[in-house]
Amino acid sequence: MAVEEEGLRVFQSVKIKIGEAKNLPTYPGPNKMRDCYCTVNLDQEEVFRTQIVEKSLCPFYGEDFYCEIPRSFRHLSFYIFDRDVFRRDSIIGKVAIRKEDLHKYHNRDTWFQLQHVDADSEVQGKVHLALRLSEVITDSGVVCHKLATRILECQGLPIVNGQCDPYATVTLAGPCRSEAKKTKVKKKTNNPQFDEVFYFEVTRPCSYNRKSHFDFEDEDVDKLEIRVDLWNASNLKFGDEFLGELRVPLKVLRQSSPHEAWYFLQPRDNGSKSLKPEDLGSLRLNVVYTEDHVFPSDYYSALRDLLLRSADVEPVSASAAHILGEVCREKQEAAVPLVRLFLHYGRVVPFISAIASAEVRRTQDPNTIFRGNSLTSKCIDETMKLAGMHYLHVTLKPTIEEICQSHKSCEIDPVRLKDGESLESNTENLRQYVDRVFSVITASGLSCPTVMCDIFFSLREAAAKRFQDDLDVRYTAVSSFIFLRFFAPAILSPNLFQLTPHHTDPQTSRTLTLVSKTIQTLGSLSKSKSASFKESYMAAFYEFFNEQKYADAVKNFLDLISSSGRRDPKSVQQPILLKEGFMIKRAQGRKRFGIKNFKKRWFRLTNHEFTYQKSKGDPPLYSIPIENILAVEPLEEESFKMKNMFQVIQPERALYIQANNCVEAKAWIDILTKVSQCNQKRLAVYHPSAYLNGHWLCCRASSDTAAGCSPCTSGLPANIQLDINGDRETERIYSLFSSYMSKLEKMQEACGSRSVYDGPEREEYSTFVIDDPQETYKTLKQVIAGVGALELEHAQHRRDKFKRTKYGSQEHPIGDKSFQSYIRQQSETPAHSM
């Protein structure tokens, strides 16, 4: 989901590594230790939570989190909580990074001091305010001035303890006066529509003269201000909660009367300052925030077509995609957008086949084939990660869950054995786990995605052709990816592949490490397997598997997944678990009588059906076959005064569901839409609001079967495994080319040097792979021209945006520091600058 700007779409994403906290304050009790967890918040909306680390003041989390951000935000915040069994969990401190400052910490480990948290500093949202100075004639005929202050509405106020019943106080304040008035309370909404006007006397009648009836005395103007405070009406004994304030000096009316603008709410200055930041400890984070500004598709035609022709260029090293891999500092940088682009347009197999064949021709030793971090290796890794994730889950998740839940000891290192543990028992536990994992992997060949099989076939053929005397190279070329880079890492770190929600406990992690090592060696088909282990206990353990049947099973599996033209009907027919989790649903009204209340349920989506039950593992209470899903769309908040709601529309009725946060709501809408995209009876229009009290809230139609009043969201790719925007990936590739422009120019120089000079080349040119200087130079010239054209379009868009954007608008309220920074940058940029 993108944030729309005029003429383009803005995609936001964030990848976070939550490392560890240190030097947290001690618990005020005899234990002194704490049970802490960390949350990730967009402003104050929680979107992720780590597991709890018990009894530590320096908890290590080691958790990764990635999400697409579906809305605008001001702060990316991290809160450290201390779990309390009997009361509400208490906040120890927070780290709040302003959106405009995220680039300062891009992709580097940073220690942040935890800041104190109190109600006066926890603010979010914006207010629409209008001020007008008017002449009023009193009963005695004397003219005086009165200020009309109109509170129109607020947006994005925080939800406090699960509810938001806001009201505003409006105060005219000065050195010698303070007059306050109050709006009505708006129930159950964080986007209240007030539209109330309050009048204040600003000047006394005697200060009036005809020549300058709006030029009232300086002391009145310069020292008076309107202050608007937002509060949450609370029934708790502690009183109403402060939500934020704004202050507007009346001298703004000198420039424009009336004055109307949106303002960001700000914290009060009198927040608690009793604790110094260093008293609360610190948190180590690595944050990668990405913002892609994407034009309509036709803007990218030239660069996109040049990239998609890469597989057909001879030699492939002269292609645009290969050149991107040459100029990027890390091959991974280039591989991610390239693979996603080629997958989107169905060109990933010919491209990877071309670069793999070229790499094999340059390889001298069959034992080192595909072992380096080349562009080929990184592209295949990324393809397996994207296309093979569901295959990985179907194959490994049940066994990984069993290992995590059974918690059997599998330590076989005699030095690490705990008191009371038996080496023989542990060895048998580990052997059973390895057998289970090995069996499910080698039996999964028919489920391997077609795109992976086609790539493996091309690797096998290229390796066998290059090293005709080595009969095993056709297997090792494939096993180096499917075992070494796919199954083994997933077993070792299941949380990174969404096989577990968090990283595993130390004992389970050790078990998975031993299983992963053994599986990796079994899959490698190396000549001397026991010698491949540094540890003697691993070499001894491996003797259990030193039988021909294991090697035969591996070879049969590798033969199956690298066969040409293999297509698997079963991979479509078997149920694949796509997503599951708790959400809140509204009763659908299937019974004629009864209250349509809201209940928490465990939802489960496969490629066959969408179900819910009371708890995980219970029998389903209700099931919607995928073919019965007619549309999946957001539900307007005003329907039930609840955020993050969406609707699954069926032939008879709609199922209304509330997700935990905006990120989860987007994820559910996307996956449900994708899995039902091919349904023949999908709707073209829908109702964005609910049917309540005998009519649709959106269009007021009285019939519950009335046709929808808004167009459904445009279609997404039907492939349930992939959600790729080709224009966004091309924009990312353009950004990479642009940032490495100096290297592109250096590569052009290298092509020219090689074309006219056969002697030893300059050292700075030797890092580039250039097989055909003339063909490479021609492609480089086209790349630089395409990048330059897009650079001009971006520059023009920035200038146009600068001209039409108004500070104080709903999109850029007063107090928007990121916009102030943008204005400053634009004012310093020459008009002709790109």
Side-chain angles (χ1 to χ4, degrees), residues 273-289:
K273 307 293 182 184
S274 58
L275 287 177
K276 297 179 180 178
E278 59 267 22
D279 294 336
L280 300 176
S282 54
L283 179 65
R284 179 167 61 85
L285 301 167
N286 185 304
V287 179
V288 177
Y289 171 72

Side-chain angles (χ1 to χ4, degrees), residues 548-780:
Q548 189 59 37
K549 67 175 184 179
Y550 289 102
D552 291 343
V554 170
K555 287 184 177 181
N556 289 337
F557 170 67
L558 296 175
D559 279 333
L560 185 57
I561 65 172
S562 59
S563 299
S564 176
R566 186 198 71 61
R567 294 295 182 269
D568 171 32
K570 287 188 178 179
S571 67
V572 179
Q573 292 171 4
Q574 64 181 352
I576 298 174
L577 178 62
L578 302 176
K579 189 169 177 62
E580 61 182 345
F582 275 114
M583 292 190 288
I584 294 172
K585 66 97 187 174
R586 182 178 185 258
Q588 300 180 72
R590 288 179 287 132
K591 296 178 182 178
R592 187 170 182 182
F593 301 103
I595 300 173
K596 294 181 181 178
N597 54 1
F598 289 85
K599 292 183 179 178
K600 189 175 183 180
R601 292 288 182 257
W602 181 265
F603 284 81
R604 197 169 187 270
L605 174 66
T606 71
N607 57 332
H608 287 187
E609 61 181 355
F610 182 47
T611 62
Y612 63 76
Q613 51 240 49
K614 277 193 174 181
S615 298
K616 185 177 182 179
D618 289 350
L621 297 173
Y622 186 69
S623 170
I624 306 174
I626 294 302
E627 58 268 22
N628 283 0
I629 297 178
L630 305 183
V632 184
E633 297 288 345
L635 186 71
E636 290 183 352
E637 182 183 335
E638 292 306 309
S639 295
F640 300 108
K641 307 294 185 186
M642 296 167 69
K643 294 175 72 69
N644 304 317
M645 290 201 71
F646 63 94
Q647 51 185 318
V648 180
I649 303 171
Q650 311 161 67
E652 313 84 23
R653 62 184 68 84
L655 173 61
Y656 298 131
I657 303 171
Q658 183 187 37
N660 296 323
N661 55 61
C662 64
V663 172
E664 275 292 293
K666 177 187 182 300
W668 276 106
I669 292 171
D670 283 354
I671 192 70
L672 280 162
T673 300
K674 279 179 282 181
V675 80
S676 62
Q677 188 67 44
C678 293
N679 291 351
Q680 294 181 350
K681 297 183 179 179
R682 277 188 66 85
L683 298 177
V685 291
Y686 78 107
H687 291 285
S689 292
Y691 183 82
L692 296 173
N693 303 322
H695 64 269
W696 293 99
L697 299 181
C698 42
C699 59
R700 315 302 292 180
S702 58
S703 171
D704 60 351
T705 60
C709 55
S710 295
C712 287
T713 307
S714 58
L716 295 167
N719 186 340
I720 60 174
Q721 297 172 335
L722 303 170
D723 178 15
I724 296 172
N725 184 299
D727 298 333
R728 183 181 185 184
E729 302 310 324
T730 312
E731 170 66 27
R732 287 180 168 180
I733 292 170
Y734 147 74
S735 297
L736 285 171
F737 274 134
S738 180
S739 61
Y740 289 109
M741 182 58 71
S742 61
K743 278 198 171 184
L744 289 172
E745 293 167 348
K746 193 76 70 180
M747 200 170 180
Q748 271 190 319
E749 293 174 13
C751 289
S753 174
R754 292 189 188 184
S755 296
V756 300
Y757 181 59
D758 279 340
E761 64 180 343
R762 288 161 57 178
E763 185 179 347
E764 58 186 326
Y765 297 155
S766 63
T767 57
F768 298 123
V769 175
I770 302 174
D771 296 320
D772 186 331
Q774 290 183 339
E775 194 67 29
T776 305
Y777 186 89
K778 186 171 77 173
T779 305
L780 281 163

Side-chain angles (χ1 to χ4, degrees), residues 441-490:
I441 289 174
T442 53
S444 69
L446 285 174
S447 301
C448 186
T450 301
V451 66
M452 288 171 59
C453 294
D454 290 344
I455 290 171
F456 295 151
F457 173 73
S458 68
L459 299 183
R460 172 183 173 142
E461 291 297 296
K465 184 178 178 180
R466 173 73 173 85
F467 301 103
Q468 296 180 13
D469 296 334
D470 191 327
L471 298 180
D472 281 339
V473 74
R474 60 183 181 175
Y475 295 116
T476 55
V478 177
S479 68
S480 63
F481 287 103
I482 194 69
F483 281 101
L484 184 67
R485 295 172 176 265
F486 188 61
F487 284 123

Side-chain angles (χ1 to χ4, degrees), residues 411-435:
E411 183 55 71
I412 58 172
D413 182 355
V415 178
R416 294 193 182 200
L417 280 181
K418 297 178 182 176
D419 292 340
E421 286 186 347
S422 164
L423 183 60
E424 292 75 18
S425 175
N426 288 4
T427 302
E428 179 59 21
N429 289 341
L430 183 59
R431 189 191 66 76
Q432 289 180 8
Y433 282 152
V434 171
D435 258 333

Side-chain angles (χ1 to χ4, degrees), residues 461-570:
E461 291 297 296
K465 184 178 178 180
R466 173 73 173 85
F467 301 103
Q468 296 180 13
D469 296 334
D470 191 327
L471 298 180
D472 281 339
V473 74
R474 60 183 181 175
Y475 295 116
T476 55
V478 177
S479 68
S480 63
F481 287 103
I482 194 69
F483 281 101
L484 184 67
R485 295 172 176 265
F486 188 61
F487 284 123
I491 297 166
L492 184 66
S493 304
N495 60 304
L496 299 183
F497 294 82
Q498 292 84 53
L499 292 169
T500 58
H502 303 286
H503 68 78
T504 52
D505 62 82
Q507 180 178 310
T508 305
S509 180
R510 174 64 176 165
T511 298
L512 293 174
T513 300
L514 297 173
V515 172
S516 179
K517 279 186 174 184
T518 313
I519 291 296
Q520 182 176 318
T521 307
L522 276 168
S524 68
L525 293 172
S526 59
K527 305 292 189 295
S528 176
K529 296 178 180 178
S530 297
S532 64
F533 292 109
K534 297 176 184 176
E535 309 92 341
S536 58
Y537 61 85
M538 284 300 299
F541 174 71
Y542 194 80
E543 290 302 319
F544 285 109
F545 305 96
N546 209 1
E547 300 178 28
Q548 189 59 37
K549 67 175 184 179
Y550 289 102
D552 291 343
V554 170
K555 287 184 177 181
N556 289 337
F557 170 67
L558 296 175
D559 279 333
L560 185 57
I561 65 172
S562 59
S563 299
S564 176
R566 186 198 71 61
R567 294 295 182 269
D568 171 32
K570 287 188 178 179

